[in-house]
Amino acid sequence: MNDDDPIHIFRKGESVITFIKSFGAGIGLSLAASYAAEIDAKHLFYGVHKDDKVFNENNREFFTLMSKAISIEIGTEFNVHTPFLEKSKAEVLKLGYDLGMPAEETWSCASNSSIHCGWCDPCQDRINAFRKTNLNDTTLYENSLVKSSSNA
Ligand SMILES: [Zn+2]
């Protein structure tokens, strides 16, 4: 893969999602900051974690600079917080579990589906995080349904 190529997420060998590799967090944070400014919020919490560092922008310097850029735009101090930046997805899952987080109400999938697909990278990260923590994963994954129906 060339560094300039967009990332493709595959399902059953077919590309279902293509997104821009560069500045994805910046685009998302810009949209969120625009809404935050509308509701007069001064803080934005972004759930990026250590395993997301495959993207160059997911580092402390980038988020500090994004906070500055947003502050300049809205004319008052604004902070992007990334409390999980140094924790793995498994560590975040375990922390959430310890705090009573209902994992079944969280979303990881990058697919545009009503249930987790189980094939995309975020779903694979989720599945691996549950395995690493030995927590019971009650998530309904589409790929499990396909496997179950093909085995019937
Ligand atoms: Zn998925």
Side-chain angles (χ1 to χ4, degrees):
M1 173 186 273
N2 183 320
D3 280 348
D4 296 330
D5 290 343
I7 290 179
H8 299 272
I9 295 175
F10 295 94
R11 180 187 329 186
K12 293 183 262 180
E14 169 187 350
S15 179
V16 294
I17 297 174
T18 301
F19 61 95
I20 299 169
K21 180 178 176 184
S22 297
F23 208 64
I27 292 168
L29 289 173
S30 296
L31 293 170
S34 178
Y35 176 71
E38 287 294 316
I39 63 170
D40 206 27
K42 305 288 185 276
H43 301 274
L44 193 150
F45 290 82
Y46 181 44
V48 64
H49 52 77
K50 186 167 58 179
D51 298 334
D52 288 329
K53 286 186 175 179
V54 294
F55 301 102
N56 294 332
E57 63 195 336
N58 289 336
N59 62 69
R60 186 79 52 215
E61 180 184 18
F62 179 82
F63 297 116
T64 299
L65 292 172
M66 280 297 294
S67 295
K68 284 187 177 180
I70 296 166
S71 297
I72 290 169
E73 170 55 24
I74 66 172
T76 188
E77 186 173 337
F78 187 92
N79 290 293
V80 175
H81 302 274
T82 55
F84 307 127
L85 191 59
E86 303 306 324
K87 294 186 181 303
S88 70
K89 189 163 182 114
E91 291 171 318
V92 174
L93 175 64
K94 180 72 171 73
L95 176 63
Y97 179 82
D98 290 345
L99 294 172
M101 168 201 68
E104 67 278 4
E105 294 181 20
T106 64
W107 189 261
S108 301
C109 188
S111 175
N112 184 19
S113 178
S114 59
I115 64 171
H116 285 81
C117 76
W119 284 286
C120 72
D121 288 346
C123 276
Q124 289 297 309
D125 289 346
R126 181 185 181 100
I127 291 165
N128 289 332
F130 272 101
R131 285 186 184 140
K132 286 178 184 172
T133 57
N134 290 321
L135 294 172
N136 184 29
D137 187 359
T138 60
T139 308
L140 184 59
Y141 296 101
E142 186 180 343
N143 68 350
S144 296
L145 297 174
V146 171
K147 286 177 193 168
S148 297
S149 65
S150 65
N151 291 338

Coordinates of all heavy atoms in Angstrom, one line a residue, residues 79-133:
N79 N -10.3 23.2 24.8 CA -9.4 22.1 25.0 C -10.0 20.8 24.5 O -11.1 20.4 24.8 CB -9.1 21.9 26.5 CG -8.3 23.1 27.0 OD1 -7.1 23.2 26.7 ND2 -8.9 23.9 27.9
V80 N -9.2 20.1 23.7 CA -9.5 18.7 23.3 C -8.8 17.8 24.3 O -7.5 17.9 24.4 CB -8.9 18.4 21.9 CG1 -9.2 17.0 21.5 CG2 -9.6 19.4 20.9
H81 N -9.5 17.0 25.0 CA -9.0 16.0 26.0 C -8.9 14.6 25.4 O -9.9 14.2 24.7 CB -9.8 16.0 27.2 CG -10.0 17.4 27.9 ND1 -9.1 17.9 28.8 CD2 -10.9 18.4 27.7 CE1 -9.4 19.1 29.2 NE2 -10.5 19.4 28.6
T82 N -7.9 13.9 25.6 CA -7.7 12.6 25.1 C -7.3 11.7 26.3 O -6.1 11.3 26.4 CB -6.7 12.5 24.0 OG1 -5.5 13.1 24.5 CG2 -7.2 13.3 22.8
P83 N -8.2 11.4 27.2 CA -7.8 10.7 28.5 C -7.3 9.3 28.3 O -6.6 8.7 29.2 CB -9.1 10.7 29.3 CG -10.2 10.9 28.3 CD -9.6 11.7 27.2
F84 N -7.5 8.7 27.1 CA -7.1 7.3 26.9 C -5.9 7.1 25.9 O -5.6 6.0 25.5 CB -8.3 6.4 26.4 CG -9.5 6.5 27.2 CD1 -10.7 6.9 26.7 CD2 -9.5 6.3 28.6 CE1 -11.9 7.0 27.4 CE2 -10.6 6.4 29.4 CZ -11.8 6.7 28.8
L85 N -5.3 8.2 25.6 CA -4.3 8.2 24.5 C -3.1 7.3 24.9 O -2.5 6.7 24.0 CB -3.8 9.6 24.3 CG -2.9 9.8 23.1 CD1 -3.6 9.4 21.8 CD2 -2.4 11.3 23.0
E86 N -2.8 7.1 26.1 CA -1.7 6.2 26.5 C -2.2 4.9 27.0 O -1.4 4.1 27.5 CB -0.9 6.9 27.6 CG -0.3 8.3 27.2 CD 0.5 8.2 25.9 OE1 1.2 7.2 25.7 OE2 0.4 9.2 25.1
K87 N -3.5 4.6 26.8 CA -4.0 3.3 27.2 C -4.4 2.5 26.0 O -4.9 3.0 25.0 CB -5.2 3.4 28.1 CG -5.0 4.1 29.5 CD -6.2 4.1 30.3 CE -6.0 4.7 31.7 NZ -4.9 4.2 32.5
S88 N -4.2 1.1 26.1 CA -4.6 0.3 25.0 C -6.2 0.1 25.0 O -6.8 0.5 26.0 CB -4.0 -1.1 25.1 OG -4.6 -1.8 26.2
K89 N -6.7 -0.3 23.9 CA -8.2 -0.5 23.9 C -8.6 -1.5 25.0 O -9.6 -1.4 25.6 CB -8.6 -1.0 22.5 CG -10.2 -1.1 22.4 CD -10.6 -1.1 21.0 CE -12.1 -1.1 20.9 NZ -12.6 0.1 20.2
A90 N -7.8 -2.6 25.2 CA -8.1 -3.5 26.3 C -8.0 -2.8 27.6 O -8.9 -3.1 28.5 CB -7.1 -4.7 26.2
E91 N -7.1 -1.9 27.9 CA -7.0 -1.2 29.2 C -8.2 -0.3 29.3 O -8.8 -0.2 30.4 CB -5.7 -0.4 29.2 CG -4.5 -1.2 29.4 CD -3.2 -0.4 29.2 OE1 -3.1 0.5 28.4 OE2 -2.3 -0.7 30.0
V92 N -8.7 0.3 28.2 CA -9.9 1.2 28.3 C -11.1 0.3 28.6 O -11.9 0.7 29.4 CB -10.0 2.0 27.0 CG1 -11.4 2.7 27.0 CG2 -8.9 2.9 26.8
L93 N -11.2 -0.8 27.9 CA -12.3 -1.7 28.2 C -12.4 -2.2 29.6 O -13.4 -2.1 30.3 CB -12.2 -2.9 27.2 CG -13.3 -4.0 27.5 CD1 -14.7 -3.5 27.2 CD2 -12.9 -5.3 26.6
K94 N -11.2 -2.6 30.2 CA -11.1 -3.0 31.6 C -11.5 -1.9 32.5 O -12.3 -2.1 33.5 CB -9.7 -3.5 31.9 CG -9.5 -4.0 33.3 CD -10.2 -5.4 33.5 CE -9.8 -6.0 34.8 NZ -10.4 -5.4 36.0
L95 N -11.0 -0.7 32.3 CA -11.4 0.5 33.1 C -12.9 0.7 33.1 O -13.5 0.9 34.1 CB -10.6 1.7 32.6 CG -10.9 3.0 33.3 CD1 -10.5 2.9 34.8 CD2 -10.2 4.2 32.6
G96 N -13.4 0.7 31.9 CA -14.9 0.9 31.7 C -15.6 -0.2 32.5 O -16.6 0.1 33.2
Y97 N -15.2 -1.4 32.4 CA -15.8 -2.6 33.1 C -15.8 -2.3 34.6 O -16.8 -2.5 35.3 CB -15.2 -3.9 32.7 CG -15.8 -5.1 33.4 CD1 -16.9 -5.7 32.9 CD2 -15.1 -5.6 34.5 CE1 -17.5 -6.7 33.6 CE2 -15.7 -6.7 35.2 CZ -16.8 -7.3 34.7 OH -17.4 -8.3 35.4
D98 N -14.6 -1.9 35.1 CA -14.4 -1.7 36.5 C -15.3 -0.5 37.0 O -15.7 -0.5 38.2 CB -13.0 -1.4 36.8 CG -12.1 -2.6 36.7 OD1 -12.6 -3.7 36.6 OD2 -10.8 -2.4 36.6
L99 N -15.6 0.4 36.1 CA -16.5 1.5 36.5 C -18.0 1.3 36.3 O -18.8 2.1 36.5 CB -16.0 2.8 35.7 CG -14.6 3.3 36.0 CD1 -14.3 4.4 35.0 CD2 -14.6 3.8 37.5
G100 N -18.3 0.1 35.8 CA -19.7 -0.3 35.6 C -20.2 0.1 34.2 O -21.4 0.2 34.0
M101 N -19.4 0.4 33.3 CA -19.8 0.8 31.9 C -20.6 -0.4 31.3 O -20.1 -1.5 31.3 CB -18.6 1.1 31.1 CG -18.9 1.2 29.6 SD -17.4 1.0 28.5 CE -17.1 -0.7 28.8
P102 N -21.7 -0.1 30.7 CA -22.4 -1.2 30.0 C -21.8 -1.3 28.6 O -22.2 -0.6 27.6 CB -23.9 -0.6 29.9 CG -23.8 0.8 30.0 CD -22.5 1.1 30.8
A103 N -20.9 -2.3 28.4 CA -20.2 -2.5 27.2 C -21.1 -2.7 26.0 O -20.8 -2.4 24.9 CB -19.2 -3.7 27.3
E104 N -22.3 -3.4 26.3 CA -23.2 -3.6 25.2 C -23.8 -2.4 24.6 O -24.4 -2.4 23.6 CB -24.3 -4.6 25.7 CG -25.3 -4.0 26.7 CD -24.7 -4.1 28.2 OE1 -23.5 -4.5 28.4 OE2 -25.5 -3.7 29.1
E105 N -23.7 -1.2 25.3 CA -24.2 0.0 24.8 C -23.1 0.9 24.1 O -23.3 2.0 23.8 CB -24.8 0.8 26.0 CG -26.1 0.1 26.5 CD -26.7 0.9 27.6 OE1 -26.5 2.1 27.7 OE2 -27.5 0.3 28.4
T106 N -21.9 0.3 24.0 CA -20.8 1.0 23.3 C -20.8 0.6 21.8 O -21.3 -0.5 21.5 CB -19.5 0.8 24.0 OG1 -19.1 -0.6 23.9 CG2 -19.5 1.2 25.4
W107 N -20.1 1.4 21.0 CA -20.1 1.2 19.6 C -18.6 1.3 19.1 O -18.0 2.2 19.5 CB -20.9 2.2 18.8 CG -21.1 1.8 17.4 CD1 -20.4 2.3 16.4 CD2 -21.9 0.8 16.8 NE1 -20.7 1.7 15.2 CE2 -21.7 0.8 15.4 CE3 -22.9 -0.1 17.4 CZ2 -22.4 -0.1 14.6 CZ3 -23.5 -0.9 16.5 CH2 -23.3 -0.9 15.1
S108 N -18.2 0.3 18.4 CA -16.8 0.4 17.8 C -16.8 0.3 16.3 O -15.8 0.7 15.7 CB -16.0 -0.9 18.3 OG -15.9 -0.9 19.7
C109 N -17.8 -0.3 15.7 CA -17.8 -0.6 14.3 C -17.7 0.6 13.3 O -18.3 1.6 13.6 CB -19.0 -1.4 13.9 SG -19.1 -2.1 12.3
A110 N -16.9 0.5 12.3 CA -16.8 1.5 11.3 C -17.7 1.3 10.1 O -17.8 2.1 9.2 CB -15.3 1.6 10.7
S111 N -18.5 0.2 10.1 CA -19.4 -0.1 9.1 C -20.7 0.6 9.3 O -21.1 0.8 10.5 CB -19.6 -1.6 9.0 OG -20.6 -2.0 8.1
N112 N -21.4 0.9 8.3 CA -22.7 1.6 8.4 C -23.8 0.5 8.6 O -24.5 0.1 7.6 CB -23.0 2.5 7.2 CG -24.3 3.2 7.3 OD1 -24.8 3.4 8.4 ND2 -24.8 3.7 6.2
S113 N -23.9 0.0 9.8 CA -24.8 -1.2 10.0 C -25.5 -1.0 11.3 O -25.1 -0.2 12.2 CB -23.9 -2.5 10.0 OG -24.7 -3.6 10.3
S114 N -26.6 -1.7 11.5 CA -27.3 -1.6 12.8 C -26.7 -2.5 13.9 O -27.0 -2.3 15.1 CB -28.7 -2.0 12.6 OG -28.8 -3.3 12.1
I115 N -25.8 -3.4 13.5 CA -25.0 -4.2 14.5 C -23.6 -4.2 14.1 O -23.2 -3.9 12.9 CB -25.5 -5.7 14.6 CG1 -25.3 -6.4 13.3 CG2 -27.0 -5.7 15.1 CD1 -25.6 -7.9 13.4
H116 N -22.7 -4.5 15.0 CA -21.3 -4.6 14.7 C -21.0 -5.6 13.6 O -21.6 -6.7 13.7 CB -20.5 -5.0 15.9 CG -20.3 -3.9 17.0 ND1 -21.3 -3.6 17.9 CD2 -19.3 -3.0 17.2 CE1 -20.9 -2.6 18.6 NE2 -19.7 -2.2 18.2
C117 N -20.2 -5.2 12.6 CA -20.0 -6.1 11.5 C -19.1 -7.3 11.9 O -19.2 -8.4 11.4 CB -19.4 -5.4 10.3 SG -17.6 -4.9 10.4
G118 N -18.1 -7.0 12.7 CA -17.1 -8.1 13.1 C -15.9 -8.2 12.2 O -15.0 -8.9 12.5
W119 N -16.0 -7.5 11.0 CA -14.9 -7.7 10.1 C -14.0 -6.5 10.1 O -12.8 -6.6 9.8 CB -15.5 -7.8 8.6 CG -16.0 -9.1 8.3 CD1 -15.3 -10.3 8.1 CD2 -17.4 -9.4 8.2 NE1 -16.2 -11.3 7.8 CE2 -17.5 -10.8 7.8 CE3 -18.6 -8.7 8.3 CZ2 -18.7 -11.5 7.6 CZ3 -19.8 -9.4 8.1 CH2 -19.8 -10.7 7.7
C120 N -14.5 -5.3 10.3 CA -13.6 -4.1 10.2 C -12.6 -4.0 11.3 O -12.7 -4.7 12.3 CB -14.5 -2.8 10.2 SG -15.2 -2.4 11.8
D121 N -11.6 -3.2 11.0 CA -10.5 -3.0 12.0 C -11.0 -2.7 13.4 O -10.5 -3.3 14.4 CB -9.5 -2.0 11.5 CG -8.6 -2.6 10.4 OD1 -8.7 -3.8 10.1 OD2 -8.0 -1.7 9.7
P122 N -11.9 -1.7 13.6 CA -12.3 -1.4 14.9 C -13.1 -2.5 15.6 O -12.9 -2.8 16.8 CB -13.3 -0.2 14.7 CG -12.8 0.5 13.5 CD -12.3 -0.7 12.6
C123 N -13.8 -3.3 14.8 CA -14.5 -4.5 15.4 C -13.4 -5.5 15.8 O -13.5 -6.2 16.8 CB -15.4 -5.1 14.4 SG -17.1 -4.4 14.3
Q124 N -12.4 -5.7 14.9 CA -11.3 -6.7 15.3 C -10.6 -6.2 16.6 O -10.3 -7.0 17.4 CB -10.4 -6.8 14.1 CG -11.0 -7.6 13.0 CD -11.3 -9.0 13.3 OE1 -10.5 -9.8 13.9 NE2 -12.5 -9.4 13.1
D125 N -10.4 -4.9 16.7 CA -9.8 -4.3 17.9 C -10.6 -4.6 19.1 O -10.2 -5.0 20.2 CB -9.5 -2.8 17.8 CG -8.4 -2.5 16.8 OD1 -7.7 -3.4 16.4 OD2 -8.4 -1.3 16.4
R126 N -12.0 -4.5 18.9 CA -12.9 -4.7 20.0 C -12.9 -6.2 20.5 O -12.8 -6.5 21.6 CB -14.3 -4.3 19.6 CG -15.4 -4.5 20.6 CD -16.8 -4.2 20.0 NE -17.8 -4.3 20.9 CZ -18.4 -3.3 21.6 NH1 -18.0 -2.1 21.4 NH2 -19.4 -3.5 22.4
I127 N -12.9 -7.1 19.5 CA -12.9 -8.5 19.7 C -11.6 -8.9 20.5 O -11.6 -9.6 21.5 CB -13.1 -9.3 18.4 CG1 -14.5 -9.1 17.9 CG2 -12.7 -10.8 18.6 CD1 -14.6 -9.6 16.4
N128 N -10.5 -8.3 20.0 CA -9.2 -8.6 20.6 C -9.1 -8.0 22.0 O -8.5 -8.6 22.9 CB -8.0 -8.1 19.7 CG -7.9 -8.9 18.5 OD1 -8.2 -10.1 18.4 ND2 -7.4 -8.2 17.4
A129 N -9.7 -6.9 22.2 CA -9.7 -6.3 23.6 C -10.4 -7.1 24.6 O -10.0 -7.4 25.7 CB -10.3 -4.8 23.5
F130 N -11.6 -7.7 24.1 CA -12.3 -8.6 25.0 C -11.5 -9.8 25.3 O -11.5 -10.3 26.4 CB -13.7 -8.9 24.4 CG -14.8 -8.0 24.7 CD1 -15.2 -7.0 23.8 CD2 -15.4 -8.0 26.0 CE1 -16.2 -6.1 24.2 CE2 -16.4 -7.1 26.3 CZ -16.8 -6.2 25.4
R131 N -10.9 -10.4 24.3 CA -10.0 -11.6 24.5 C -8.9 -11.3 25.5 O -8.6 -12.1 26.4 CB -9.5 -12.0 23.2 CG -10.5 -12.7 22.3 CD -9.9 -13.3 21.0 NE -10.9 -13.9 20.2 CZ -11.0 -13.8 18.9 NH1 -10.0 -13.2 18.2 NH2 -11.9 -14.3 18.2
K132 N -8.2 -10.1 25.3 CA -7.1 -9.8 26.2 C -7.5 -9.6 27.6 O -6.7 -9.9 28.5 CB -6.4 -8.5 25.7 CG -5.6 -8.7 24.4 CD -5.0 -7.4 24.0 CE -4.2 -7.6 22.7 NZ -3.8 -6.3 22.1
T133 N -8.7 -9.1 27.9 CA -9.2 -8.9 29.2 C -9.9 -10.1 29.8 O -10.3 -10.0 31.0 CB -10.1 -7.6 29.3 OG1 -11.2 -7.9 28.4 CG2 -9.4 -6.4 28.9

